[in-house]
């Protein structure tokens, strides 16, 4: 059953729910912006004594500014899409009963959340960095298009990963462990603070076997103009694989709930 | 508060510590695995920086060991603060839900009734901080950069640091008596400020390092004392100043708290 | 005198919520307030050993009053004495002699077994080991605490939690007990259990109890005195029967006739202070205000209609009393 109106309603409700708190969230943006500012300062400090390769100091500042803004649409989304809470309260049995697939249901809501974070977090934070660090604008329209595609894929991947983490709550009470692990991997493997090419060789190779570089590194390098458009192929591949995993997980979950009654 | 009351309070706190540990230990496997995982996750944050330092050598003359030291001292100070006074950090919950009402019916100062509401075991942070600190100090002792006295001085600054972080946390929480919501403010005064001080303050523009030393004095938790302890850049007086800052902070924040609590408007009707 | 309240008044200042762009931020820094008078000039006294019900519609100021009596809120003006002590000037001394239960919030430690909460509370109030054991043994029996003695509080049912909470409030043996909605959300059985314990506390141990509730059975079964608050003002203070009388709600009388009977036409009974509200088979239902006409007079009047077999009188439901009282 495909009903675009319903998905749009779910997403816009999630968006509207957040808009009520936008005042508080804008205060929160100050803190978020400070984190990126600190990371940029570290790279500026490093750039004074060292050459920063193909990026240069200005390039690294631009890199950090973009990753720190993009985080809010590709990494820092609702933990486990809120599924662990709904397992704890028993709401999950109700959600599984609805005439809409759980995955698309949760995903629609999260797209609303992501849209909100794009408007009220990513863009204001990026604009702030843009003026504070006098960042360059991307050269051509194609770069913007590729970046947008990369970000879209990254958000979708992030939704899938969080869905899988959330669903695991049905089997373990400690799904927060997975969530922490996910964040540690974002720190190290997604290019959160260090561009992947500066990781130790073995870690860099390992990173490319995971979906993590596609969350931040790929869209960021595309934006900065030193990325490889073919990396988007990897994004598509991981999106397809993750979709399959999510559908499979939902099926297992349904069976589990039906057997145990939630 | 007299000595007998203090002793009784400590006994009550000890009781809470024992019962908390006992109830956490009921699920030993979860406890151990959870602790190890969380410690690894936290170390990944440092690893992120360590990898960069491994590649570039030093940031503005600060070696990876020195930065590890800053990082570990901050973690351990925060761990002490949050182990004993986690509920100060979570005051918003009490303000919104009205649970503060209960505490006001206790025959003791509200802060002393608030703290024993929860004893938080933070083994992962302890593990992470302890591990990075011993690695950093050990390496610096091997190269002769610091001596044994640094270990004692480090324990001292971890304690003064805990006091400073507690004071910042308490002052921020007190603002909740006016604003009710404090999570966003805490993100600035606690999380962002603390993270900033995990790196040498010389990295930041002047306005920001001054802010971190004089407005939200996280710089005194680790950075200022390390200037003397690790790098001999300033005199030993800096340790006395650090202790002085801790004392001033706690007095000021306690006064502010006492004033704030008179502004408490219980929710509901 | 256990409680003395003199001219208690409490105003709340609530920041005016801004609308539109950056409303959250602007509200945060706004200095504009709206003044709400939650309690207006309330005075009363409660004697040792009384069981007082404090009732009124939502938002009338019940909880605000309790919070002022327990020292949680400072009154804008007026004075409180609890056991002779001012809870705002000497909060710590005052609260030692009172126990407080908020029906919707637990004072127990969420993650810890029930027993551990008692250990901590005993230490908090300086209750000695022997006293603690003795009291807990007593409560455990009266409230059936043993069945969940070692269960963490978060796993208790609402009824169990309430029992555990009341025991916690009584652990330091206070003379005065405040209960804010102690039976809210409980099932019939759990309510009965708690009422039994409360009435025992009052009757056998001489505790003074003040409770707020929405459940009129609580009031009818427990309280010797009732105070009604509405829109911040005390509108009634006295016994339950007097309250009923004062409002003058009609008493319902059902008269069953043996054999044929004749109900007079409306025009004939108009001069009498009672009303026929229903006729079913052999029964006539009459409403009368006992203030204006005695029961015997009504029965005498009705016996003229036919041969009376049985008379059944029902007092008006108490909830009705309060509703009409608040409305008038």
């Amino acid at each position: 059953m495909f009903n675009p109106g319903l998905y749009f309603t779910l997403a816009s409700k999630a968006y509207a729910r957040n808009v009520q708190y936008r005042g508080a969230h804008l205060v929160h943006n100050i803190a978020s912006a400070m984190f990126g500012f600190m990371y940029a300062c570290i790279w500026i400090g490093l750039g004074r004594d060292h050459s920063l390769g193909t990026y240069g100091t200005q390039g690294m500042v631009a890199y950090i500014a973009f990753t720190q803004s993009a985080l809010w649409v590709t990494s820092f989304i609702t933990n486990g899409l809120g599924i662990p809470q709904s397992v704890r309260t028993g709401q999950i049995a109700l959600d599984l009963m609805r005439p809409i697939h759980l995955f698309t249901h949760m995903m629609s809501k999260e797209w609303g959340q992501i849209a909100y974070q794009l408007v009220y977090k990513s863009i204001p934070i990026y604009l702030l960095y843009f003026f504070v660090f006098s960042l360059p604008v991307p050269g051509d329209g194609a770069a913007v298009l590729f970046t947008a595609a990369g970000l879209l894929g990254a958000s979708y991947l992030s939704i899938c990963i969080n869905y899988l983490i959330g669903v695991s709550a049905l089997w373990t009470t400690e799904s927060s462990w997975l969530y922490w692990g996910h964040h540690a991997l974002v720190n190290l493997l997604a290019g959160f603070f260090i561009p992947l090419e500066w990781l130790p060789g073995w870690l860099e190779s390992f990173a490319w076997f995971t979906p993590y570089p596609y969350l931040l590194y790929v869209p960021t390098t595309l934006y900065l103009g030193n990325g490889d458009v073919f990396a988007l192929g990897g994004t598509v591949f991981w999106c397809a694989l993750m979709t399959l995993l999510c559908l499979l997980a939902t099926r297992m979950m349904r069976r589990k709930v039906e057997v145990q009654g939630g | 508060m007299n000595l007998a009351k203090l002793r009784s309070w400590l006994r009550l706190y000890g009781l809470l510590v024992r019962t908390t540990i006992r109830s956490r230990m009921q699920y030993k496997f979860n406890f151990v695995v959870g602790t190890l995982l969380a410690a690894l996750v936290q170390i990944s944050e440092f690893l992120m920086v360590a990898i960069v330092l491994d590649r570039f050598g030093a940031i503005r003359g600060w070696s990876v060991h020195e930065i590890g030291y800053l990082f570990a001292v901050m973690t351990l100070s925060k761990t002490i603060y949050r182990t004993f006074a986690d509920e100060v950090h979570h005051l918003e919950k009490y303000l919104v839900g009205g649970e503060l009402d209960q505490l006001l019916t206790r025959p003791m100062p509200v802060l002393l009734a608030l703290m024993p509401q929860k004893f938080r075991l933070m083994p992962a942070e302890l593990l992470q901080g302890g591990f990075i600190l011993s690695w950093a100090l050990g390496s610096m002792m091997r190269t002769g950069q610091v001596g044994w006295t640094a270990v004692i001085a480090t324990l001292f600054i971890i304690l003064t640091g805990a006091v400073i972080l507690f004071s910042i946390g308490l002052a921020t929480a007190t603002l909740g008596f006016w604003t009710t919501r404090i999570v966003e403010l805490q993100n600035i005064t606690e999380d962002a400020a603390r993270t900033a001080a995990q790196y040498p303050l010389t990295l930041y523009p002047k306005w920001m390092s001054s802010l971190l030393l004089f407005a939200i004095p996280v710089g005194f938790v680790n950075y200022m004392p390390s200037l003397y302890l690790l790098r001999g850049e300033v005199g030993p007086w800096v340790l006395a100043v650090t202790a002085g800052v801790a004392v001033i902070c706690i007095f000021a924040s306690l006064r502010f708290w006492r004033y704030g609590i008179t502004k408490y408007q219980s929710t509901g009707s | 005198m256990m409680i003395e309240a003199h001219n208690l008044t409490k105003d709340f200042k609530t920041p005016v919520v801004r609308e539109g762009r950056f409303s959250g931020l602007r509200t945060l820094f706004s200095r504009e307030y709206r003044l709400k008078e939650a309690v207006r000039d309330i005075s009363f006294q409660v004697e040792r050993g009384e069981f007082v019900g404090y009732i009124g519609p939502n938002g009338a100021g019940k909880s605000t009053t309790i919070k002022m009596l327990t020292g949680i809120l400072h009154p804008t003006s007026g004075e409180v004495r609890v056991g002779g002590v001012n809870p705002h000037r000497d909060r710590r001394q005052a609260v030692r002699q009172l126990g407080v239960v908020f029906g919707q919030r637990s004072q127990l430690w969420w993650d810890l077994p029930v027993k551990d909460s008692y250990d901590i509370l005993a230490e908090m109030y300086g209750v000695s080991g022997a006293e603690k054991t003795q009291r807990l043994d007593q409560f455990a029996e009266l409230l059936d605490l043993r069945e969940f003695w070692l269960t963490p509080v978060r796993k208790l049912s609402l009824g169990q939690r309430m029992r555990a909470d009341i025991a916690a409030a009584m652990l330091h043996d206070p003379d005065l007990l405040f209960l804010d909605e102690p039976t809210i959300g409980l099932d019939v059985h759990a309510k009965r259990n708690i009422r039994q314990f409360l009435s025992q506390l009052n009757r056998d141990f001489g505790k003074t109890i003040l409770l707020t509730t929405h459940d009129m059975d609580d009031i009818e079964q427990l309280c010797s005195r009732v105070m009604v608050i509405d829109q911040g003002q005390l509108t009634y203070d006295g016994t339950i029967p007097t309250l009923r009388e004062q409002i003058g709600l009609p008493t319902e009388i059902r008269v069953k006739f043996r054999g044929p009977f004749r109900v007079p036409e409306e025009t004939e009974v108009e001069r009498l202070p009672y009303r026929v509200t229903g006729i079913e088979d052999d029964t006539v239902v009459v409403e009368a205000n006992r203030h204006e006409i005695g029961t015997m007079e009504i029965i005498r009047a009705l016996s003229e209609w036919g041969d009376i077999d049985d008379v059944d009188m029902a007092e008006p439901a108490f909830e009705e009393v309060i509703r009409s009282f608040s409305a008038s």
Side-chain angles (χ1 to χ4, degrees):
Chain A
M1 174 168 142
F2 181 71
N3 180 351
L6 171 62
Y7 297 128
F8 182 76
T9 309
L10 281 169
S12 59
K13 289 293 171 224
Y15 184 95
R17 192 180 62 82
N18 277 290
V19 168
Q20 306 171 55
Y21 305 112
R22 61 190 186 280
H25 291 168
L26 284 171
V27 178
H28 184 252
N29 279 354
I30 301 174
S32 309
M34 271 177 78
F35 278 93
F37 184 74
M38 278 168 331
Y39 295 137
C41 284
I42 294 172
W43 282 106
I44 294 171
L46 278 165
R48 287 210 192 145
D49 312 320
H50 312 273
S51 136
L52 297 182
T54 50
Y55 290 91
T57 305
Q58 194 58 27
M60 267 321 293
V61 170
Y63 179 95
I64 290 290
F66 194 83
T67 51
Q68 289 295 313
S69 312
L71 267 184
W72 295 99
V73 288
T74 72
S75 307
F76 288 180
I77 66 172
T78 313
N79 297 349
L81 304 189
I83 300 172
Q85 288 93 298
S86 111
V87 168
R88 223 170 297 136
T89 58
Q91 169 81 23
I92 195 71
L94 272 178
D95 284 342
L96 279 171
M97 260 168 43
R98 301 206 194 284
I100 168 175
H101 197 278
L102 185 73
F103 178 54
T104 44
H105 177 185
M106 292 293 160
M107 178 166 63
S108 307
K109 280 208 240 171
E110 201 56 29
W111 277 120
Q113 178 79 23
I114 288 173
Y116 172 82
Q117 295 191 169
L118 175 71
V119 174
Y120 285 96
K121 295 213 77 121
S122 296
I123 292 177
I125 291 174
Y126 191 76
L127 282 178
L128 184 71
Y129 292 146
F130 184 82
F131 291 113
V132 170
F133 296 121
S134 346
L135 297 176
V137 271
D140 57 316
V144 175
L145 201 71
F146 292 142
T147 310
L151 284 176
L152 202 67
S155 301
Y156 181 75
L157 270 182
S158 191
I159 290 177
C160 292
I161 295 172
N162 272 284
Y163 182 77
L164 292 173
I165 293 175
V167 165
S168 75
L170 218 67
W171 283 271
T172 167
T173 51
E174 307 287 348
S175 66
S176 56
W177 293 354
L178 287 173
Y179 168 72
W180 294 340
H182 170 60
H183 269 260
L185 292 177
V186 168
N187 276 349
L188 286 179
L189 304 182
F192 175 89
F193 177 67
I194 334 157
L196 288 184
E197 57 262 42
W198 289 342
L199 290 178
W202 61 271
L203 195 59
E204 186 193 352
S205 321
F206 173 71
W208 285 108
F209 281 106
T210 72
Y212 285 93
Y214 302 97
L215 290 182
L216 288 170
Y217 179 76
V218 167
T220 305
T221 48
L222 283 172
Y223 181 78
L224 297 178
N226 56 359
D228 186 352
V229 180
F230 293 106
L232 285 177
T235 309
V236 172
F237 166 76
W238 276 107
C239 286
L241 185 64
M242 283 292 181
T243 308
L244 275 179
L245 285 177
C246 288
L247 294 178
L248 200 68
T250 314
R251 180 170 293 187
M252 286 166 65
M253 182 175 182
R254 197 172 277 284
R255 195 162 304 150
K256 164 111 177 151
V257 172
E258 277 163 8
V259 172
Q260 297 196 346
Chain B
M1 194 160 173
N2 59 36
L3 207 64
K5 276 190 185 156
L6 181 68
R7 208 173 296 138
S8 133
W9 187 78
L10 287 175
R11 209 164 42 230
L12 135 79
Y13 205 97
L15 200 65
L16 177 79
V17 173
R18 280 200 303 281
T19 50
T20 307
I21 293 177
R22 184 153 29 86
S23 72
R24 279 292 295 274
M25 290 302 166
Q26 280 177 352
Y27 307 96
K28 271 200 197 66
F29 174 77
N30 285 21
F31 182 76
V32 171
V33 177
T35 301
L36 287 176
L37 265 172
L40 279 177
V41 171
Q42 299 206 9
I43 285 178
S44 82
E45 202 187 333
F46 177 67
L47 225 52
M48 197 173 85
V49 180
I51 289 171
V52 173
L53 282 159
D54 180 55
R55 184 155 201 110
F56 294 99
I59 308 178
R60 304 257 71 203
W62 287 70
S63 71
V64 71
H65 298 121
E66 290 169 327
I67 290 182
Y69 180 86
L70 291 181
F71 198 92
V73 169
M74 186 54 89
T75 303
L76 291 173
S77 289
K78 177 209 158 189
T79 305
I80 294 178
Y81 152 42
R82 293 289 278 277
T83 297
F84 293 102
D86 203 43
E87 296 308 271
V88 168
H89 183 77
H90 292 118
L91 185 73
E92 180 173 320
K93 183 179 76 191
Y94 289 80
L95 293 172
V96 172
E99 276 103 342
L100 203 70
D101 291 356
Q102 304 273 11
L103 303 184
L104 279 155
T105 67
R106 303 281 182 234
M108 52 176 66
V110 180
L111 190 58
L112 293 187
L114 177 67
M115 284 168 61
Q117 283 299 301
K118 187 163 187 183
F119 172 78
R120 181 168 164 216
L121 274 175
M122 299 173 76
E125 285 80 358
L126 220 54
L127 218 62
Q128 180 251 93
F131 174 76
I132 297 179
L133 184 68
S134 19
W135 166 77
L137 266 181
S139 313
M140 287 188 283
M141 271 154 77
R142 260 196 305 284
T143 59
Q145 188 180 349
V146 295
W148 269 107
T149 47
V151 177
I152 296 154
T154 302
L155 292 179
F156 173 74
I157 65 162
I158 288 172
L159 286 179
T160 52
V163 171
I164 294 172
L165 292 181
F166 169 78
S167 310
I168 295 170
L170 184 65
T172 311
T174 305
L175 289 172
F177 288 117
W178 287 272
T179 61
T180 308
R181 269 188 90 101
I182 42 174
V183 173
E184 286 79 18
L185 282 168
Q186 285 171 332
N187 267 307
I188 299 174
T189 62
E190 295 201 51
D191 304 334
R194 196 182 55 236
T195 309
Q198 283 169 357
Y199 308 101
L201 297 192
T202 41
L203 286 176
Y204 306 122
K206 187 95 186 112
W207 63 267
M208 186 158 154
S209 51
S210 315
L211 199 77
L212 296 173
L213 282 177
F214 304 114
I216 308 169
V218 278
F220 281 96
V221 174
N222 52 359
Y223 174 72
M224 286 307 280
S226 332
L227 282 182
Y228 165 70
L229 288 176
L230 308 185
R231 304 165 66 92
E233 283 179 14
V234 283
W237 52 265
V238 87
L239 293 181
V241 170
T242 303
V245 168
V247 170
I248 292 170
C249 281
I250 190 132
F251 267 98
S253 64
L254 281 174
R255 279 202 77 136
F256 185 45
W257 166 265
R258 246 175 263 141
Y259 174 68
I261 216 156
T262 64
K263 301 288 168 204
Y264 173 61
Q265 290 201 350
S266 170
T267 52
S269 55
Chain C
M1 205 59 70
M2 217 48 234
I3 310 175
E4 292 168 82
H6 298 293
N7 308 99
L8 275 188
T9 295
K10 179 72 190 176
D11 300 332
F12 282 116
K13 275 202 261 175
T14 45
V16 175
V17 178
R18 303 294 186 108
E19 303 279 329
R21 239 179 250 279
F22 304 114
S23 50
L25 262 184
R26 278 166 48 219
T27 305
L28 197 62
F29 298 110
S30 159
R31 289 281 122 216
E32 256 181 82
Y33 293 101
R34 191 177 299 130
L35 210 64
K36 186 192 164 220
E37 284 186 304
V39 169
R40 278 185 282 174
D41 197 26
I42 282 185
S43 299
F44 60 86
Q45 297 187 331
V46 175
E47 305 264 1
R48 195 172 282 275
E50 275 193 279
F51 201 136
V52 182
Y54 194 46
I55 53 180
N58 273 330
K62 297 188 298 276
S63 296
T64 306
T65 316
I66 293 236
K67 284 173 188 170
M68 284 194 281
L69 297 180
T70 48
I72 293 166
L73 283 176
H74 287 238
T76 309
S77 66
E79 209 186 299
V80 178
R81 274 175 194 281
V82 184
V85 184
N86 181 327
H88 304 105
R89 215 170 304 129
D90 306 300
R91 182 178 70 80
R92 276 173 242 166
Q93 199 195 330
V95 295
R96 279 191 175 280
Q97 32 171 0
L98 50 95
V100 188
V101 176
F102 293 104
Q104 321 211 40
R105 302 175 203 123
S106 180
Q107 59 176 315
L108 305 168
W109 276 253
W110 199 241
D111 303 315
L112 300 184
V114 176
K115 172 191 160 297
D116 289 347
S117 285
Y118 293 142
D119 290 342
I120 296 173
L121 282 170
E123 199 62 66
M124 229 177 217
Y125 283 90
V127 177
S128 75
E131 281 175 302
K132 184 186 76 183
T133 321
Q134 182 233 325
R135 263 173 226 149
L136 283 178
D137 280 347
Q138 206 169 33
F139 297 152
E141 195 170 321
L142 293 172
L143 285 167
D144 244 342
L145 300 181
R146 297 272 177 226
E147 54 169 317
F148 49 82
W149 198 240
L150 293 172
T151 314
V153 173
R154 67 188 137 86
K155 291 191 179 160
L156 298 185
S157 74
L158 200 57
Q160 291 174 328
R161 211 216 73 204
M162 187 53 64
R163 272 139 67 196
D165 251 302
I166 294 177
M170 294 306 298
L171 191 62
H172 58 286
D173 197 29
D175 294 326
L176 178 56
L177 183 61
F178 289 99
L179 301 137
D180 196 6
E181 305 268 3
T183 55
I184 197 162
L186 301 186
D187 61 45
V188 184
H189 177 74
K191 278 183 183 175
R192 195 185 320 134
N193 210 321
I194 280 172
R195 283 183 198 135
Q196 247 164 29
F197 182 66
L198 291 179
S199 92
Q200 231 163 351
L201 278 180
N202 176 248
R203 210 181 43 232
D204 304 341
F205 298 92
K207 304 292 179 199
T208 313
I209 302 180
L210 191 146
L211 71 80
T212 75
T213 183
H214 274 105
D215 187 327
M216 293 310 151
D217 292 338
D218 285 348
I219 300 278
E220 286 200 274
Q221 293 174 26
L222 293 171
C223 303
S224 53
R225 171 182 168 191
V226 58
M227 294 194 290
V228 182
I229 183 173
D230 191 29
Q231 294 180 358
Q233 280 173 312
L234 208 56
T235 48
Y236 176 79
D237 184 351
T239 62
I240 298 170
T242 320
L243 175 62
R244 268 208 199 93
E245 264 169 41
Q246 208 178 65
I247 304 164
L249 256 199
T251 305
E252 199 180 74
I253 304 170
R254 303 171 73 88
V255 181
K256 201 172 151 190
F257 289 99
R258 202 183 300 127
F261 61 93
R262 189 191 75 91
V263 178
E265 292 300 315
E266 209 151 321
T267 44
E268 295 173 54
V269 289
E270 214 168 2
R271 62 206 150 81
L272 290 172
Y274 55 78
R275 238 157 23 95
V276 177
T277 54
I279 303 171
E280 313 152 5
D281 302 336
D282 53 353
T283 307
V284 177
V285 186
V286 175
E287 265 185 16
N289 194 332
R290 284 206 296 176
H291 235 31
E292 296 159 23
I293 179 169
T295 319
M296 282 325 289
E297 280 175 73
I298 299 175
I299 295 176
R300 203 175 303 133
L302 262 65
S303 64
E304 285 170 19
W305 301 358
D307 200 358
I308 293 183
D309 181 27
D310 192 16
V311 178
D312 185 24
M313 279 202 303
E315 292 296 323
F318 199 64
E319 213 148 338
E320 293 288 315
V321 177
I322 298 310
R323 201 170 299 142
S324 77
F325 196 77
S326 297
S328 62

